[in-house]
Structure formats: C-alpha cells, structure tokens
Amino acid sequence: MAFVCLLPQMSHQAAFMETDYDSDYYTAGVVEFRPSVLSQKDNVDSYVEIIGSADASEAEIIVFPEATLNGQSTATFVPHPEELIVPCLTDPNATYYEEFFVTLSCAARNASKYVVVNLSEKQLCTDTPEDPRPCSSTGVNQFNTNVVFDREGVVISRYRKIHLYGEPRNSTYLPELSTFTTDFGVTFGHFICFDILFFDPAQQLILEQGITDFVFPTMWFSQLPYLTAVQYQQGWAYAQNVNLLAAGASNPLIGSSGSGIYHGREGTITSVMNTGIGERHIYVAKVPKFKETRKTRKSLRSRRSVDPEAPRVLSSEFRMKQDYIQNYKSEMLPIDENQRDSGNLTQDICYDDTFCCHFEVAWQPLDDQSNSSYYYYRLGAYNGWRNEQNVDANYIRNCAIFSCTGPDIEDCAKLITDNAQPQVTFTRLAIDVTYPESKEYLFLPNTVLDNLLPLEPAQFEWSQSSTSNRYQHQVHFALAENVEVSNLLTFAVYGNYYNEVCTYKVGTPEDNLQCGYADEDNEGGTAAHMQSFGAWLIMPLAVILGSIRFKSL
C-alpha cells in the first residue's frame, strides 16, 4: 500500500528532473504582498489565488514575504521536515494543524510548485528538552518561521528566525542552518528579514555549506542612508555573489516594501519598491544557475531597476526610518547654492586614528537652476556599533556620501521633499578605504537613488584586495567610466563586522596573537616569525633524518 502511494510522487519528480534538472536557469516568483490585518482568511485566499494564477504559471518556486499570513492567535504546529508529512493528506480536516496550513499544503500540491511561506509557529516546550530556558505559562514556544512545501505539499524545510526585530516571538536555543534541495537541481538556504545583517545563518550557509541560492521572506522597514530594502538586498547578493529571491511585505505607509530577484555580480533581474497603499503581485523571472557559463547570461536581466525615468519617492508617501548619522564624523560637500561652476574635491575623513575614508568627487551644474531648494551632501565615516535599541547589534565601518535636505547633519538621511531638486550631476565618485581583517566580516557596495532603487553593477566599479599587510584589505568603489548620476541619495562602502570578534589591531597584542595575527607592523617581524618557524621545523627534521640513518646502519 505504501509503495502504491509513493508512485505518483516518484513519477512526477522524475519527469520534471528529466526536463529541468540540467537547464541553465530556473524560474522563480517573489510576491510583494499587502496583508490584511483584519482577515486572515483574506490573506490565505489571496495566497492560494496567486499560487494558482496565470502570472505564476511558469514559476517553479514561489516565495511569500514575512508576517503577512497569520498572527499569534492562530499559530500552527509545523512538522519536522524529516517526517516528510503532507498536511493536505494526513490532516485534511485540520484537527492538528491550523486550517490555513493545510490549505497551503494543498495549494502547493495542486499547482505542483515549491512554495515558501512565513508564519507564526507554535511548539510544545516539552518537545525541546535540551532548552534550559523557562517556558511560558501556556506551555508553548512561538516562532517566526519559514516553511517550505514541495510540489506534493510535503513540508521539506523549516527555519526559525534567530535575530528578532522586536516581534514577540521566541528565538531557538541553538541557531538553525536550514536548506532544501529541489528537483530542478538547486539547493536553497533560507533566513528571515533582520537575519541578513548577521553572520549566522546567512553568511554561514555560504562559507560552511557553499550555498549559492537563497529565499528571503521579509517585512523590511527601510532606513536611510544604507538600509532601504532593495538597496541592501542587491548589495548583499552582489557582495556574496549569490542568487537572492527576496519577497517583501507591502505597506509603504508604515515604511515596508521591497522585493526582488538578484543574480550575484550581474545585479538585479527584477525588483520593486512600492509607494502608496502597496500591492499584491508576483514578480516572475528566469534565474541563471551558478555554473561555469553564468557570465553569458546577461540577456536574462531586465532593466526594471535601472530605469532613469522612475519617479522619485516623496516623503509624504513612504515612512522612512533614519540611521544615527549624528554619530558620524562628517563634512559638507562644498556645493554652493545655485551652483554655476564645475567642482571637484579630494579629501580624507577619519572617524578615529585607525579608520579613514578617502573620497574623490567631481560634479557639474545642471541646466535647471530655477528652484529655491536643492540636494545637499555630506562625506561621512563611522567606526562603531549600530545604535539601534533593543535589537541585536552589529559592528560597522562605513564610508559614505549621503544626501541631506539642508546644511546640518540633522537634515540628512531623509527622503528629499517634492520641492527640492538636484543642482549638480556627479561625474566622479570614488571611495578608497583600508579595512582590517576579522573573523567574520562582509564589505558591500551600497547605493540608492531618489526612486529608492540602487545603481546596477554596470554603473560602478568595485574591487577588494589584500594589502602588503596580509591582515588588511583595500576596497575601491567608484562610478564606472562615463557614468553620471544626479538623483543620488547614498553612495557608500558598507563594512559589516557583525560582532567585532578577532579584528586585527583591535584589543591587546595578546588578543591579536590568540586570533592568529602576527605583528607585521614591526620591521622584520614577519621575517623573524618565519625564520623562527623555519628553525622550529629544522630541529625535528634533523632528528627524523638521524633516526633513519641510524636504522639504515
């Protein structure tokens, strides 16, 4: 009986593998979704409609955003992926799992698609005896959880968010690394929203498991100058050189929007930043697989995010958070009111004695100088912890050119008002910075224009290389030759050091030695270290050779 039940799934998977496993690309859909706070049924019905829609017909995998499905009052149990449970078949009357969970298992099965959803999950505290933390009075833990259904509606993967952003949920006792493998030959890792700013699990999946493709449900609250949604999604995918399928909750009036599909160093395939009331829409694109031929696939890219005619996002339409840039060391870019002449500037901005940013900037005036309000700009540097309260913190070293609505630092990192206009076009933007080695770190190109979309890789130059001191890295970021930009909000190098553990020249000399850093600042230090190391090797080698000679006699 069990064998008969398995036959349909086996034949279906085999047929699909025959046509798609060796393809150079797969087809994915990410859903930008405006949730209903009053009707969970409305959310579920819309999910099912999108999964079965004509727009989604070509998609092999569909990703829905964070926190747009259910709430704590309808948290559901989720089976462990190793059990290979099909809620649609094992619990059709929803006696154990919540009804919406069974419905989505059936929807994935009916459409024969991989479906990734984010939901509120509950688990009995008695199911995790290894967790010594006190349990709630209800006897259950609640998690912010991704669930992956395969084409048969089987729960094949589950991930519980580690880095919570104020939501009243539990974090797992031990961080999870979650992946799943598809029948079209791609293994995905997944994580949720705020997790992307941390080493675990996002970068850990890349470095420890070699994952090249990620699904990323998010309800992102955009923040200038560095952390608007598509801006950071694209920069992260570029820096890691991975495919990223990001699905965003769509409620711009509270600052939430941003979905996209990104192909590593090739940039954006498709993306959207909504204004107004948001939308419920699936964005589908062919995604090149990471094989040796990936450099030949530029024709698959759309130009959606590079559209110079895209309208500006006005401050009245989008609620934008603001970074703590008053903590930065910054100086105004000397662009005069009603700028009539070209200008250029070469300048170093140092946050402290150990971290300096080198800037090269050139600009030309725009023809239209009729407005009374213009964009201002500052050059800035920062070396320290992110200052956001009551959430997990990470350590950053940033070099940036960012826009302002006035001459004071308090006027910066805001959306430009509708009556302000650019008065110059930048013909040269370049940042050079030397970064220290660390145990865990990531450097990203970080840009955003006043339409809340970033520059694309064809529009900039990026390089990262070791210096003569092997524990330092030189990063160069510049506009590409013959590229000009006038509607700029941010142009930056974002250096994320996560937790600042084992950073070169941070801490005592003993700390640096324990982290494996030799003292390369002392003249002859490296040579002396190598000479000492060589002498240490010669001694046992001489003993071994002597022993061999003695035995031969």
Side-chain angles (χ1 to χ4, degrees):
M1 179 70 75
F3 179 72
V4 173
C5 289
L6 286 173
L7 270 177
Q9 180 174 346
M10 291 172 64
S11 62
H12 179 95
Q13 298 276 350
F16 217 93
M17 288 175 68
E18 196 172 285
T19 56
D20 290 88
Y21 191 89
D22 294 324
S23 173
D24 287 342
Y25 62 86
Y26 60 93
T27 305
V30 295
V31 181
E32 173 92 0
F33 192 87
R34 182 185 66 254
S36 170
V37 295
L38 300 177
S39 173
Q40 177 180 294
K41 183 178 185 304
D42 180 53
N43 294 332
V44 176
D45 290 347
S46 291
Y47 271 43
V48 173
E49 182 180 354
I50 289 171
I51 292 169
S53 68
D55 289 341
S57 61
E58 298 298 319
E60 298 166 80
I61 180 170
I62 299 174
V63 184
F64 286 89
E66 179 189 22
T68 57
L69 182 56
N70 72 314
Q72 287 182 279
S73 63
T74 57
T76 185
F77 291 113
V78 174
H80 195 288
E82 290 181 357
E83 300 176 60
L84 296 178
I85 286 178
V86 187
C88 181
L89 301 182
T90 61
D91 190 18
N93 296 319
T95 57
Y96 181 70
Y97 304 112
E98 292 292 316
E99 183 178 358
F100 78 87
F101 190 69
V102 175
T103 297
L104 291 175
S105 170
C106 294
R109 182 177 175 85
N110 292 337
S112 188
K113 299 181 186 300
Y114 290 88
V115 175
V116 183
V117 300
N118 175 272
L119 49 78
S120 289
E121 177 200 2
K122 64 184 178 182
Q123 182 185 44
L124 296 175
C125 298
T126 53
D127 288 344
T128 55
E130 71 279 5
D131 188 347
R133 296 174 298 182
C135 183
S136 71
S137 59
T138 62
V140 299
N141 289 320
Q142 290 210 5
F143 301 99
N144 180 336
T145 301
N146 287 345
V147 175
V148 184
F149 300 102
D150 74 0
R151 298 183 192 276
E152 299 294 332
V154 180
V155 175
I156 60 168
S157 189
R158 178 187 68 192
Y159 168 74
R160 293 161 173 168
K161 188 176 182 181
I162 297 170
H163 302 284
L164 300 175
Y165 193 76
E167 62 260 42
R169 303 290 190 278
N170 296 92
S171 59
T172 57
Y173 177 55
L174 296 174
E176 297 177 337
L177 296 180
S178 297
T179 64
F180 60 96
T181 300
T182 63
D183 59 15
F184 49 86
V186 174
T187 296
F188 290 89
H190 55 126
F191 49 91
I192 303 166
C193 202
F194 196 40
D195 287 331
I196 202 171
L197 292 180
F198 298 89
F199 180 83
D200 58 334
Q203 195 169 353
Q204 196 174 0
L205 285 165
I206 298 169
L207 297 180
E208 295 182 7
Q209 298 190 24
I211 302 299
T212 59
D213 292 72
F214 292 87
V215 294
F216 179 55
T218 177
M219 178 179 273
W220 194 269
F221 296 100
S222 285
Q223 179 185 98
L224 282 171
Y226 311 110
L227 298 178
T228 64
V230 169
Q231 170 188 16
Y232 200 85
Q233 291 167 14
Q234 187 235 49
W236 188 87
Y238 179 93
Q240 306 279 22
N241 197 22
V242 296
N243 287 328
L244 180 67
L245 315 182
S250 192
N251 191 348
L253 296 179
I254 63 170
S256 182
S257 178
S259 302
I261 299 176
Y262 312 90
H263 181 50
R265 293 297 171 103
E266 297 299 321
T268 305
I269 299 174
T270 185
S271 68
V272 61
M273 286 290 288
N274 269 295
T275 61
I277 62 171
E279 65 177 353
R280 294 178 174 182
H281 184 75
I282 185 169
Y283 293 85
V284 177
K286 293 181 178 180
V287 185
K289 295 178 182 177
F290 273 101
K291 296 181 179 180
E292 292 182 357
T293 57
R294 62 185 177 185
K295 291 183 179 179
T296 66
R297 302 200 190 114
K298 293 182 181 179
S299 60
L300 294 176
R301 291 178 57 197
S302 77
R303 303 296 291 177
R304 180 181 183 88
S305 289
V306 202
D307 182 5
E309 302 301 323
R312 284 194 297 152
V313 176
L314 305 182
S315 57
S316 59
E317 296 177 328
F318 197 106
R319 183 176 178 182
M320 182 67 67
K321 295 182 68 177
Q322 184 182 32
D323 195 6
Y324 296 87
I325 53 169
Q326 64 271 18
N327 297 335
Y328 279 58
K329 172 68 175 178
S330 69
E331 295 187 16
M332 283 289 296
L333 195 63
I335 299 175
D336 299 329
E337 291 280 357
N338 299 314
Q339 181 82 27
R340 300 295 179 184
D341 299 315
S342 299
N344 63 80
L345 178 73
T346 299
Q347 186 168 346
D348 291 339
I349 303 289
C350 297
Y351 182 81
D352 50 32
D353 294 336
T354 63
F355 184 69
C356 293
C357 308
H358 178 76
F359 297 92
E360 295 180 17
V361 186
W363 61 88
Q364 292 180 347
L366 292 173
D367 292 336
D368 184 5
Q369 298 286 321
S370 58
N371 274 41
S372 59
S373 180
Y374 299 103
Y375 292 22
Y376 295 80
Y377 291 94
R378 280 185 174 267
L379 311 177
Y382 181 68
N383 178 5
W385 291 96
R386 286 194 70 239
N387 210 18
E388 199 160 1
Q389 303 299 311
N390 303 318
V391 297
D392 291 348
N394 44 37
Y395 196 97
I396 56 175
R397 290 177 171 87
N398 289 350
C399 299
I401 301 166
F402 48 83
S403 65
C404 310
T405 59
D408 299 323
I409 188 67
E410 291 78 11
D411 300 321
C412 302
K414 298 179 179 179
L415 283 175
I416 304 295
T417 56
D418 55 353
N419 62 333
Q421 296 292 332
Q423 60 178 326
V424 300
T425 183
F426 291 104
T427 56
R428 169 74 171 162
L429 290 172
I431 301 173
D432 288 280
V433 56
T434 300
Y435 278 111
E437 177 75 80
S438 189
K439 181 182 177 181
E440 299 170 359
Y441 64 96
L442 180 67
F443 308 136
L444 300 87
N446 185 278
T447 67
V448 68
L449 307 176
D450 60 12
N451 58 12
L452 294 186
L453 297 175
L455 294 170
E456 288 299 320
Q459 297 172 293
F460 62 75
E461 302 169 356
W462 172 270
S463 64
Q464 178 181 329
S465 59
S466 296
T467 67
S468 57
N469 182 331
R470 58 183 169 149
Y471 304 132
Q472 294 179 323
H473 299 273
Q474 183 67 37
V475 173
H476 172 75
F477 183 38
L479 283 180
E481 188 176 359
N482 299 323
V483 171
E484 299 181 357
V485 59
S486 61
N487 56 333
L488 182 73
L489 296 187
T490 304
F491 189 90
V493 179
Y494 194 96
N496 195 340
Y497 280 75
Y498 301 114
N499 56 18
E500 188 68 343
V501 173
C502 276
T503 299
Y504 179 60
K505 288 296 183 183
V506 172
T508 67
E510 291 76 16
D511 292 335
N512 274 261
L513 284 173
Q514 190 171 6
C515 289
Y517 301 128
D519 188 358
E520 297 200 352
D521 285 348
N522 293 333
E523 186 175 354
T526 303
H529 173 75
M530 294 306 295
Q531 186 176 10
S532 172
F533 182 68
W536 182 85
L537 284 175
I538 289 171
M539 290 176 65
L541 182 60
V543 173
I544 293 170
L545 290 174
S547 174
I548 294 172
R549 183 170 181 270
F550 176 79
K551 288 181 179 179
S552 67
L553 292 175

